[in-house]
């Protein structure tokens, strides 16, 4: 607890924390446990049995799945208590309880934010920003004709953007905040 408050028992421990390795995302995302969980979840997803803990429902087979570190690998890597205890961050981050498959848009928006910040700040801002993009794309679409191949191509591109905007918004609006916080609490306990 004290290390997380930047209160160290010795200068040697403080210097060991300052001298830790730089964060390497690839090392965390290429670990055998991460890959194995991804393969398991892919199989479940293909047969329609993959449960998305963040939305508290089964994922649709047509949805794009991402594997998320519930407590971000970045947070774990930079945790002073982890360094003080001399735990391997890659092993901690890739424990089964910390790996959850979810909709790509949720993982994309969550990045390395804590669950609290993600739910209370990132989600509302992301939804608002994406709704503004959606309105802009819909306005652009109204101004595009359907007479030439170039116009039809531009319409298809805008229609695709509109569909992705709606999917992004729907996925973030479908988050079950209690379920996400529960997943975070269980991961931290483990």
């Amino acid at each position: 607890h004290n290390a997380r408050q930047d209160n160290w028992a010795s200068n040697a421990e403080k210097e060991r924390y300052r001298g830790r390795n730089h964060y390497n995302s690839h090392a965390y995302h290429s670990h055998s446990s991460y890959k194995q969980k991804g393969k398991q979840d892919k199989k479940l997803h293909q047969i329609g049995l993959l449960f998305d803990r963040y939305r508290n429902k089964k994922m649709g087979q047509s949805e794009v799945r991402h594997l998320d570190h519930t407590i971000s690998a970045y947070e774990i890597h930079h945790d002073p208590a982890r360094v003080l205890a001399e735990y391997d961050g890659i092993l901690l981050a890739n424990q089964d309880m910390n790996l959850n498959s979810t909709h790509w848009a949720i993982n994309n928006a969550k990045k390395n934010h804590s669950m609290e910040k993600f739910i209370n700040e990132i989600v509302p801002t992301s939804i608002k920003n994406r709704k503004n993009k959606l309105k802009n794309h819909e306005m652009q679409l109204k101004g595009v004709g359907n007479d030439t191949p170039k116009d039809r191509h531009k319409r298809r591109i805008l229609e695709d953007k509109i569909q992705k905007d709606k999917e992004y918004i729907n996925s973030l609006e479908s988050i079950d905040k209690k379920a996400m916080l529960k997943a975070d609490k269980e991961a931290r306990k483990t």
Side-chain angles (χ1 to χ4, degrees), residues 75-92:
E75 179 183 344
I76 290 171
H77 181 78
H78 292 293
D79 182 6
R82 179 204 57 85
V83 175
L84 180 66
E86 298 182 19
Y87 284 126
D88 183 326
I90 295 169
L91 293 176
L92 284 175

Side-chain angles (χ1 to χ4, degrees), residues 52-57 102-103 105-107 109-110 115 118-119 122-124 126-127 168-181:
D52 182 341
R53 292 185 69 197
Y54 296 169
R55 297 184 294 162
N56 203 24
K57 68 178 190 176
T102 191
H103 191 280
I106 295 170
N107 186 53
K110 185 174 169 284
M115 201 62 79
F118 176 68
I119 289 170
I122 303 303
V123 169
S126 295
I127 290 171
Y168 193 90
I169 292 164
N170 289 338
S171 70
L172 292 183
E173 287 179 338
S174 70
I175 289 172
D176 182 325
K177 293 177 184 181
K178 288 181 182 178
M180 276 193 98
L181 290 170

